[in-house]
């Protein structure tokens, strides 16, 4: 394939590539090879492992063979799956995650495994045991996290699309920082089976894509009840591809709690511009109170570590992964976990263990659960008045590598606007709203449970009007 | 606890915690088949090995069995019970936590007999650790290996209120529980093999006091005998402590059945903080009306009710009724024999009491280890044999000879009696034999005539020997007396 033709193929959105393949103008295998070559030469640190060859995909498969980058948090049979942790170095699962399996069956073969914060704990990808990932917009900056590798790969054109996981913003925040689209689905919409757990009551698998249509297309083939995941649910209907170009009559609520203090001026500027765009498209934006969301981060940093402290107990050196110690049981546990886990993971295990300890449970875990219920009630009340909640995705643009590593709290604040939706279990999307000092700013739209079609439609209309053309890899 | 008084009687207070392995087809939270001594680690999958990313799914059959147990024990079933994670590190616990139920168990507030049931909940079993080396424990072992076949086996935990007052009572009640669970077909309930495990909470208090003393928990006694001996030893130990002016400390104890010693496993001070919290991977367990009625419909008549019925309706002796009710299959055999006797139509039939005696006294020892369901003697054949005895068509002792044969080869009792010439001797034949016996036992005749009635036994014995038991003892006595009176 001539250079220009390959450039052209690489510039296609995934949905456009699927169409070309269906029309016989492109083959999935060709496209796979093009991306495989690019990914093989990347120097962002986005990939941890690459597939050797494309799986055979029938040309009439709904996703045509368009390759998929998969966050390393997903187990894939026989393929190294580390969740960005040293403790799972060399671990090759005996089974494949449901989401990966469903997408492969629909015709999206795995291109490779992407880098991530260890056990999805982080907002900059700097907590990976396998090195940081550079943001393709500015290589001195972080891509966000924890799905930093997936976001950077899509933004840099190393993959047409990717999946990641979002526990408290880990799909939306890196999508925002990398100038792409990231969708966190309704809790239960996508099976968690095979996703290496961080915080089970919050973890959801979501698409990271170049545009809203791609997100809808990928999401369509991810959803559905899975007998292996008791918390998964049937999606009410097939996910339609978005078509809306206007926002007439759509009511948006902007919560002052998430759109004021603590948000960078440059981000606020983009946010306010998008507000105006919404009104130009016929939508209405009003202020809506979400009073308890101000406590979201505090509740999140009790609940998520509590669940994580139990979820990570299985890494004990007995059955798989890394093993250290002198043979004595206690030293096996202590040495394996001391050497295998990074600092942030240890910090959260300790936080969570403390929060669940007898005598502290009510004050921490019990109280955080009540805050979580209140936040869900806030959203429920809000959705009686508005269709969608509108916020910036993250309070800032991509920050510099190393800038926040010594200050966990400032790192945690990066998910300030994303965490409340996770606690409420509701869907939210991040789409690029514009640039601030040459760096992308994400806008978040959230809706009630299972309102992804409505969110995607609104995001589609907004995306067209904003006309964001960030393709740093083409520069 | 009040001042110890040397001669003041103490009363033991005992509660039991029973773990029952359910006889489901698969494990509690994965699709692995349950293991019965297979090669180690051949009944495993990513879920029960605790691989990254796996999720538990609740076994519907285990829930069904647990609901049956809850209902059989007269408990209230929780409309929404919760699974929790019980966190601790041990190599036999692959996830680092056990999925169990905590503050909202599946069922509570029931009773079996006189003992109240505190709660019934579902959980998963741990794997099996094997320690190499002399100590047999993990500390000091040369090496340890884990067999995950047992890991994830469904368990029901049953906790009683402290309503038992002696080791014998505890053991007796546990037998009732075992019979009940066996009858329901929900478990193998084998203590030696670990499908039924019992811990006992033991405390003592001055007789008549209402407050409870400090309890010690006696772990894992794997037979009824050990349970009884362990509790007795612990009661004695606590009495000694208290009478010596000491106080009982709350601790977990291990009973050594070989030496009879009790040793401390861990005391309360170093107790684990299990950091229970709701299992986020599972939704609450909310039994539907259909599930509840299905569990209710699956309940057979339970041993306690059956014993009562056998005693009341069939007028069996209490011990016999209990024996038949507690050994369900034997009870089934007996009731089939009763039904066969009643359906037999013409002729004298054996009554339930006689049949019960034929089953429990005669058949059981002849069957040895053979289960009643495998018995070569069918309930119908036994009823027929017993009926022939009642009809005096065969003597008791001849019938027992026939049963000897049937217990090995089966067969029809009537045909066997004919074939072996074991039927009652005819009147003229018997008359001739009686005459002969009188003639040959002149000394006995003399004694009878001089008033020693007991001497008749020698003549009866001679007749029975001659007829090979084909005569009725009473009838023979009557004939002897008649002849001696006539002659005299
Ligand atoms: Zn299994």
């Amino acid at each position: 394939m001539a250079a220009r033709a390959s450039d052209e193929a690489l510039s296609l959105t995934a949905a456009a590539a699927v169409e070309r393949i269906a029309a016989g103008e492109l083959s999935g295998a060709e496209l796979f090879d093009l991306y495989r070559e690019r990914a093989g030469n990347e120097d962002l640190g986005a990939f941890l492992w690459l597939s050797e060859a494309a799986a055979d995909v029938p040309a009439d498969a709904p996703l045509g063979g368009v390759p998929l980058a998969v966050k390393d948090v997903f187990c894939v049979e026989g393929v190294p799956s580390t969740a960005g942790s040293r403790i799972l170095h060399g671990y090759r699962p005996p089974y494949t995650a449901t989401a990966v399996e469903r997408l492969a069956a629909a015709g999206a073969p795995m291109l490779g495994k992407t880098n991530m914060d260890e056990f999805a704990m982080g907002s900059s990808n700097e907590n990976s045991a396998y090195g940081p990932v550079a943001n393709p917009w500015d290589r001195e900056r972080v891509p966000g996290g924890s799905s930093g590798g997936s976001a950077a790969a899509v933004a840099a054109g190393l993959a047409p699309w990717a999946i990641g996981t979002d526990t408290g913003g880990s799909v939306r925040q890196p999508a925002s920082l990398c100038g792409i689209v990231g969708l966190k689905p309704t809790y239960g919409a996508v099976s968690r089976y095979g996703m290496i757990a961080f915080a089970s009551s919050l973890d959801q698998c979501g698409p990271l894509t170049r545009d809203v249509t791609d997100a809808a297309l990928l999401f369509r083939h991810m959803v559905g009840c899975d007998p292996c995941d008791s918390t998964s649910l049937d999606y009410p209907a097939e996910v339609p591809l978005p078509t809306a170009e206007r926002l007439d009559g759509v009511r948006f609520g902007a919560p002052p709690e998430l759109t004021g203090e603590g948000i960078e001026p440059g981000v606020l500027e983009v946010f306010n511009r998008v507000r105006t765009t919404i009104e130009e498209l016929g939508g209405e934006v009003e202020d809506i109170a979400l009073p308890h969301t101000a406590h979201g981060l505090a509740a999140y940093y009790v609940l998520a570590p509590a669940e994580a402290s139990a979820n990570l107990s299985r890494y004990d050196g007995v059955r798989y992964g890394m093993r250290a110690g002198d043979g004595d049981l206690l030293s096996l546990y202590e040495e394996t976990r001391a050497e295998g886990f990074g600092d942030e993971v240890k910090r959260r295990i300790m936080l969570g263990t403390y929060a669940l300890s007898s005598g502290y449970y009510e004050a921490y875990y019990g109280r955080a659960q009540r805050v979580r219920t209140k936040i869900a009630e806030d959203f429920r009340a809000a959705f009686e008045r508005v269709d969608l909640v509108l916020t910036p995705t993250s309070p800032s643009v991509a920050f510099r590598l190393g800038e926040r590593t010594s200050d966990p709290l400032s790192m945690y604040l990066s998910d300030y606007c994303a965490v409340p939706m996770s606690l409420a279990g509701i869907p939210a999307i991040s789409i690029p709203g514009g640039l601030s000092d040459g760096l992308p700013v994400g806008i978040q739209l959230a809706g009630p449970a299972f309102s992804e079609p409505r969110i995607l439609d609104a995001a589609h209309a907004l995306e067209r009007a904003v006309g964001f053309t960030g393709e740093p890899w083409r520069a | 606890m009040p001042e110890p008084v040397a001669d003041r009687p103490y009363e033991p207070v005992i509660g039991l915690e029973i773990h029952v392995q359910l006889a489901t087809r698969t494990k509690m939270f994965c699709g692995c088949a349950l293991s019965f001594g297979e090669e180690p680690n051949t009944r495993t999958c990513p879920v029960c090995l605790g691989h990254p990313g796996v999720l538990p799914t609740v076994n519907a059959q285990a829930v069904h069995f647990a609901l049956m147990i809850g209902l059989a024990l007269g408990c209230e079933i929780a409309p929404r019970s919760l699974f929790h994670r019980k966190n601790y590190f041990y190599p036999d616990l692959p996830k680092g936590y056990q999925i169990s139920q905590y503050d909202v168990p599946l069922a509570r507030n029931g009773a079996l007999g006189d003992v109240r049931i505190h709660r019934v909940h579902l959980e998963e079993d741990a794997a099996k650790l094997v320690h190499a080396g002399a100590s047999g424990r993990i500390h000091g072992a040369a090496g340890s290996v884990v067999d995950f076949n047992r890991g994830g086996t469904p368990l029901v935990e049953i906790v009683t209120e402290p309503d038992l007052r002696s080791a014998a009572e505890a053991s007796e009640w546990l037998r009732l529980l075992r019979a009940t669970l066996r009858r329901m077909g929900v478990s193998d309930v084998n203590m030696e093999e670990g499908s039924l495990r019992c811990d006992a909470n033991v405390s003592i208090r001055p007789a008549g006091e209402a407050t409870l003393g400090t309890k010690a928990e006696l772990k894992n006694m794997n037979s009824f005998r050990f349970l009884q001996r362990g509790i007795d030893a612990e009661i004695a130990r606590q009495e000694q402590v208290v009478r010596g002016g000491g106080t009982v400390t709350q601790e977990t104890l291990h009973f050594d059945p070989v030496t009879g010693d009790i040793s401390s496993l861990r005391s309360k001070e170093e107790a684990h903080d299990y950091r229970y919290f709701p299992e986020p991977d599972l939704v609450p367990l909310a039994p539907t009306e259909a599930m509840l009625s299905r569990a209710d419909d699956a309940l057979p008549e339970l041993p306690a009710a059956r014993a009562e019925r056998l005693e009341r309706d069939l007028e069996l002796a209490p011990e016999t009724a209990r024996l038949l009710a507690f050994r369900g299959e034997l009870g089934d055999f007996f009731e089939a024999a009763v039904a066969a006797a009643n359906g037999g139509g013409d002729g004298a039939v054996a009554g339930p009491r006689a049949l019960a005696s034929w089953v429990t006294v005669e058949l059981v020892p002849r069957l040895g280890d053979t289960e009643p369901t495998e018995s070569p003697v069918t309930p119908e054949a036994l009823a027929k044999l017993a009926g022939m005895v009642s009809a005096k068509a065969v003597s008791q002792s001849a019938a027992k000879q026939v049963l000897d044969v049937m217990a090995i080869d089966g067969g029809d009792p009537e045909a066997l009696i004919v074939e072996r010439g074991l039927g009652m001797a005819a009147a003229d034949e018997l008359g001739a034999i009686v005459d002969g016996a009188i003639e040959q036992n002149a000394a006995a005749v003399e004694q009878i005539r001089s008033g020693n009635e007991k001497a008749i036994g020698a003549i009866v014995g001679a007749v029975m020997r001659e007829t090979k038991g084909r005569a009725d003892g009473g009838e023979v006595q009557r004939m002897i007396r008649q002849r001696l009176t006539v002659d005299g």
Side-chain angles (χ1 to χ4, degrees):
Chain A
M1 194 178 276
R4 178 170 289 169
S6 69
D7 267 8
E8 209 267 327
L10 290 165
S11 72
L12 297 170
T13 64
V18 169
E19 270 177 33
R20 291 281 188 87
I21 292 165
E25 296 161 17
L26 182 68
S27 86
E30 273 174 276
L31 196 64
F32 185 97
D33 290 341
L34 283 174
Y35 278 108
R36 175 63 180 75
E37 198 192 332
R38 272 183 71 77
N41 294 321
E42 65 110 347
D43 56 1
L44 297 169
F47 281 94
L48 295 178
W49 181 89
L50 287 168
S51 302
E52 273 317 307
D56 274 338
V57 176
D60 61 350
L63 300 180
V66 177
L68 177 76
V70 173
K71 188 179 182 179
D72 202 32
V73 79
F74 291 92
C75 285
V76 178
E77 187 178 348
V79 169
S81 304
T82 67
S85 181
R86 201 165 121 74
I87 210 161
L88 281 174
H89 183 75
Y91 172 64
R92 289 167 188 259
Y95 76 107
T96 299
T98 301
V100 175
E101 209 161 68
R102 283 191 176 160
L103 290 175
M110 182 172 67
L111 175 65
K113 302 293 285 292
T114 57
N115 205 342
M116 58 181 283
D117 281 303
E118 184 177 7
F119 287 109
M121 298 178 188
S123 309
S124 69
N125 216 108
E126 289 164 296
N127 295 333
S128 169
Y130 304 98
V133 177
N135 188 319
W137 290 80
D138 176 348
R139 303 173 66 97
E140 298 298 307
R141 291 175 186 267
V142 302
S146 65
S147 309
S150 282
V154 173
L158 306 175
W161 50 13
I163 53 173
T165 56
D166 189 314
T167 305
S170 281
V171 162
R172 290 162 285 160
Q173 185 260 14
S176 170
L177 270 50
C178 288
I180 59 167
V181 173
L183 172 69
K184 191 223 58 110
T186 306
Y187 184 80
V190 183
S191 169
R192 291 183 295 118
Y193 189 70
M195 254 166 63
I196 298 177
F198 161 18
S200 313
S201 75
L202 296 154
D203 295 343
Q204 263 298 292
C205 163
L208 294 112
T209 55
R210 290 186 196 169
D211 71 6
V212 174
T213 303
D214 280 2
L217 182 59
L218 201 54
F219 181 58
R220 173 190 283 177
H221 295 283
M222 292 161 66
V223 296
C225 186
D226 175 7
C228 292
D229 177 0
S230 319
T231 63
S232 67
L233 296 157
D234 269 324
Y235 205 78
E238 190 185 56
V239 178
L241 296 189
T243 53
E245 294 180 12
R246 298 274 308 165
L247 294 170
D248 297 306
V250 182
R251 296 162 304 166
F252 293 79
E257 294 84 1
L258 304 177
T259 54
E261 207 183 323
I263 312 290
E264 264 179 21
V267 171
L268 267 188
E269 207 174 289
V270 171
F271 177 75
N272 289 328
R273 236 175 14 237
V274 168
R275 238 181 124 129
T276 310
T277 308
I278 288 173
E279 281 159 354
E280 284 165 8
L281 290 172
E284 302 156 23
V285 187
E286 59 177 283
D287 281 356
I288 189 138
L290 295 172
H292 296 92
T293 53
H295 306 294
L297 215 53
Y300 176 84
Y301 275 98
V302 171
L303 298 175
E307 293 181 17
S309 72
N311 281 332
L312 270 56
S313 292
R314 67 192 60 200
Y315 308 108
D316 57 7
V318 173
R319 285 146 295 127
Y320 46 73
M322 217 196 83
R323 174 183 288 186
D326 61 12
D328 171 69
L329 180 64
L330 202 59
S331 94
L332 170 74
Y333 287 157
E334 288 177 354
E335 302 293 314
T336 301
R337 291 168 69 83
E339 291 176 28
F341 289 140
D343 288 346
E344 182 60 26
V345 169
K346 287 177 190 165
R347 181 178 296 124
R348 297 202 195 182
I349 289 175
M350 286 192 286
L351 269 174
T353 303
Y354 185 81
L356 290 173
S357 297
S358 121
Y360 297 95
Y361 181 91
E362 249 323 295
Y364 292 97
Y365 187 87
R367 220 159 144 200
Q369 282 290 24
R370 286 194 293 280
V371 171
R372 184 177 189 171
T373 306
K374 290 282 180 202
I375 289 174
E377 284 166 5
D378 279 359
F379 276 111
R380 217 168 293 133
F383 292 131
E384 308 236 314
R385 288 180 49 200
V386 299
D387 300 307
L388 299 168
V389 164
L390 176 74
T391 76
T393 306
S394 182
S396 72
V397 293
F399 39 93
R400 290 184 187 284
L401 282 158
E403 188 182 317
R404 299 190 183 182
T405 43
S406 55
D407 183 0
L409 285 183
S410 75
M411 188 74 89
Y412 297 169
L413 281 172
S414 192
D415 290 318
Y416 180 70
C417 303
V419 153
M421 294 72 181
S422 292
L423 289 171
I426 58 173
I429 199 169
S430 176
I431 60 166
L435 295 176
S436 164
D437 282 341
L439 292 169
V441 172
I443 299 298
Q444 176 174 234
L445 301 177
F450 296 107
S451 69
E452 283 90 343
R454 188 196 299 171
I455 293 174
L456 288 161
D457 244 349
H460 181 259
L462 205 50
E463 174 184 63
R464 291 173 59 92
V466 166
F468 185 83
T469 51
E471 288 180 328
W473 62 279
R474 310 250 279 167
Chain B
M1 185 162 288
E3 280 295 292
V5 178
D7 54 356
R8 192 167 178 184
Y10 281 90
E11 170 186 61
V13 176
I14 303 156
L16 301 180
E17 280 181 32
I18 300 106
H19 285 92
V20 183
Q21 273 186 350
L22 298 181
T24 49
R25 199 176 58 75
T26 56
K27 292 185 179 181
M28 185 65 222
F29 296 117
C30 68
C32 289
L34 294 196
S35 174
F36 298 95
E38 278 80 11
E39 284 289 299
N41 297 314
T42 53
R43 290 284 191 269
T44 61
C45 71
V47 175
C48 58
L49 286 176
H51 272 263
V54 298
L55 298 170
T57 46
V58 172
N59 180 335
Q61 194 185 18
V63 173
H64 175 63
F65 283 174
L67 288 174
M68 283 173 69
I69 293 172
L71 292 173
L73 300 179
C75 294
E76 299 155 13
I77 306 292
R80 280 161 64 91
S81 66
L82 300 177
F83 286 100
H84 270 63
R85 291 185 183 177
K86 178 181 181 179
N87 297 285
Y88 62 96
F89 283 97
Y90 211 59
D92 64 5
L93 196 63
K95 299 187 293 298
Y97 54 85
Q98 179 196 32
I99 303 177
S100 182
Q101 294 195 294
Y102 182 53
D103 52 2
V104 193
L106 179 111
R108 51 175 141 206
N109 298 337
L112 178 65
D114 298 336
V115 176
R116 290 169 301 154
I117 303 294
H118 178 62
R119 58 184 278 152
V120 174
H121 78 237
L122 267 171
E123 60 185 32
E124 57 178 337
D125 207 348
K128 212 165 89 188
L129 267 177
V130 182
H131 307 297
S135 73
R137 297 205 181 175
I138 198 160
H139 296 291
S144 300
V145 289
V146 199
D147 175 7
F148 289 98
N149 282 357
R150 194 184 69 179
T153 299
L155 289 182
V156 155
E157 183 177 320
I158 300 167
V159 182
T160 76
E161 296 291 350
D163 288 349
L164 295 154
R165 293 291 173 268
S166 73
E169 234 179 83
S171 168
E172 188 57 32
W173 184 83
L174 189 60
R175 279 179 203 278
L176 171 62
L177 177 68
R178 186 178 66 160
T180 304
L181 296 170
R182 175 171 288 158
R183 188 66 185 153
M184 287 157 60
V186 296
S187 170
D188 296 338
V189 284
N190 185 317
M191 282 189 91
E192 282 76 14
E193 288 171 12
S195 52
L196 178 72
R197 297 172 223 156
C198 185
D199 304 337
N201 289 311
V202 179
S203 66
I204 58 168
R205 64 184 175 196
E209 291 274 333
T211 51
L212 294 172
T214 307
K215 68 181 180 189
E217 190 183 3
L218 212 48
K219 280 291 198 195
N220 260 337
M221 290 149 291
N222 66 352
S223 75
F224 286 94
R225 201 156 51 90
F226 292 160
L227 174 74
Q228 202 162 335
R229 278 172 53 188
I231 293 175
D232 273 333
E234 175 57 14
I235 293 169
R237 187 190 70 87
Q238 290 189 15
E239 278 209 35
Q240 203 179 5
V241 168
V242 173
R243 288 190 194 283
T247 49
V248 175
T249 49
Q250 185 167 345
E251 58 187 338
T252 302
L253 302 167
H254 172 81
F255 173 73
D256 185 336
V258 181
T259 60
D261 288 346
I262 286 172
S263 56
S264 185
L265 280 178
R266 54 173 183 263
S267 68
K268 183 72 180 167
E269 293 79 67
E270 48 186 295
H272 285 287
D273 179 355
Y274 290 120
R275 306 191 310 280
Y276 281 99
F277 74 100
E279 165 59 285
D281 288 333
L282 293 172
V283 294
L285 180 55
T288 59
E289 280 303 317
M291 286 162 75
L292 287 170
S293 62
R294 206 165 66 83
D296 202 35
D297 292 347
L299 287 183
E301 183 190 30
L302 298 172
R306 191 179 204 184
E308 212 173 278
R309 177 174 60 80
L310 295 180
E311 207 181 318
R312 185 186 62 230
D313 295 355
L314 302 182
E315 295 175 347
L316 301 191
E319 317 79 69
T320 313
R322 273 171 68 87
L323 175 66
L324 290 170
F326 281 28
R327 287 191 58 186
E329 290 180 345
L330 201 61
D332 292 347
F333 187 98
F334 162 73
E335 297 211 44
V338 171
N342 292 339
D346 50 296
V349 297
R353 289 175 68 109
L355 280 172
S357 161
W358 275 104
V359 172
T360 60
V361 182
E362 302 300 337
L363 182 63
V364 165
R366 284 175 173 81
L367 287 181
D369 291 337
T370 309
E371 289 297 321
T373 45
E374 309 292 316
S375 164
V377 185
T378 63
E380 295 73 24
L382 189 72
K384 191 169 177 184
L385 180 64
M388 291 174 75
V389 174
S390 298
K392 299 200 188 304
V394 64
S395 71
Q396 187 92 19
S397 63
K400 287 177 190 173
Q401 293 174 46
V402 173
L403 190 58
D404 287 339
V405 178
M406 289 165 64
I408 294 162
D409 298 325
D412 174 52
E414 197 171 359
L416 281 166
I417 287 164
V418 171
E419 183 187 305
R420 298 183 177 232
L422 287 170
M424 285 293 195
D428 51 345
E429 185 198 351
L430 188 58
I433 293 171
V434 169
D435 290 343
I438 289 172
E439 224 162 87
Q440 283 160 28
N441 287 278
V445 170
E446 205 51 47
Q447 284 175 5
I448 294 164
R449 289 206 163 118
S450 55
N452 182 2
E453 271 290 314
K454 280 185 182 165
I456 199 168
I459 306 173
V460 174
V463 173
M464 296 312 266
R465 268 195 302 281
E466 184 65 26
T467 59
K468 296 196 176 69
R470 293 179 303 122
D472 179 74
E475 174 67 7
V476 171
Q477 282 202 23
R478 196 189 57 75
M479 289 169 75
I480 295 167
R481 285 213 186 80
Q482 187 192 36
R483 278 165 169 73
L484 294 183
T485 311
V486 169
D487 285 2

